[in-house]
Amino acid sequence: MFYEPQNGHGLPHNPLKAIVAPRPIGWIGTRSKEGALNLAPYSFFNIVCDTPPLLMFSSSGYKDSVAFIEETREFTANMVGEHLAKQMNATSVNAPRGASEFDYAGLTAAACEQIAAPRVAEAYASLECVAVDIRQLQGRDGQLTDSYMVIGEVVGVHIDEAILTDGLIDISKSRPVTRLGYMDFATTDTVYQMFRPKWGE
């Protein structure tokens, strides 16, 4: 089949999210200027640059995560290991502004080293980030969407040594949870290596 997104796909659910999969989950922790805490998962998330280390997430709708980051320019991105899958899903609840998803999901909001935004103490890894760009996205027709992209520079990295093997992060230990299409998720449990070829060999 072929379809043009502007004309619809005719399927029960949008297949685009199942084509671009798996997607890592950015579990974004923020603190408002008044001190309210927020924690929410975003599957439109990835690292986009290594020097300087930049990552991005996109929010469908102007949610507390974006609002708090606009206020403070700070946030954390926390790794969702399999042991935290249920808690991550709990934090996707449509909570009223100012309600703490940390408390709702029974998670510990831990202090960071470089920023005031909280990290998830139970996560195997957390990234402290400072926002460098926040923008409302637009289509090719120039019309603004109801989606907001945040790009942050990583200024601090927390790693639980329990997931290290010979100094490397061991995916078989961290077992990150990823988002597939629809309401499907997956845990990474099979890892293999492939090395970049050298031209002429």
Side-chain angles (χ1 to χ4, degrees), residues 61-141:
Y62 189 77
K63 299 175 182 175
D64 283 356
S65 299
V66 178
F68 291 178
I69 294 170
E70 281 200 322
E71 291 177 4
T72 66
R73 312 299 293 189
E74 297 178 346
F75 65 96
T76 63
N78 303 273
M79 175 185 280
V80 180
E82 186 178 42
H83 69 302
L84 295 175
K86 290 182 179 179
Q87 292 91 328
M88 176 275 295
N89 190 54
T91 63
S92 68
V93 66
N94 186 20
R97 184 178 177 118
S100 171
E101 290 84 358
F102 282 92
D103 293 341
Y104 181 79
L107 295 163
T108 306
C112 286
E113 298 291 333
Q114 305 293 325
I115 62 175
R119 61 186 178 89
V120 177
E122 294 83 358
Y124 286 136
S126 298
L127 307 176
E128 301 184 13
C129 303
V130 174
V132 298
D133 194 12
I134 304 171
R135 64 179 62 195
Q136 187 175 3
L137 299 176
Q138 64 182 38
R140 60 182 173 143
D141 58 2

Side-chain angles (χ1 to χ4, degrees), residues 154-168:
V154 179
V155 297
V157 179
H158 300 262
I159 302 173
D160 186 334
E161 293 185 8
I163 64 170
L164 297 179
T165 298
D166 298 327
L168 301 176

Side-chain angles (χ1 to χ4, degrees), residues 8-27:
H9 45 73
L11 299 172
H13 299 283
N14 186 352
L16 187 60
K17 297 177 184 178
I19 294 171
V20 183
R23 300 187 306 279
I25 299 170
W27 209 7

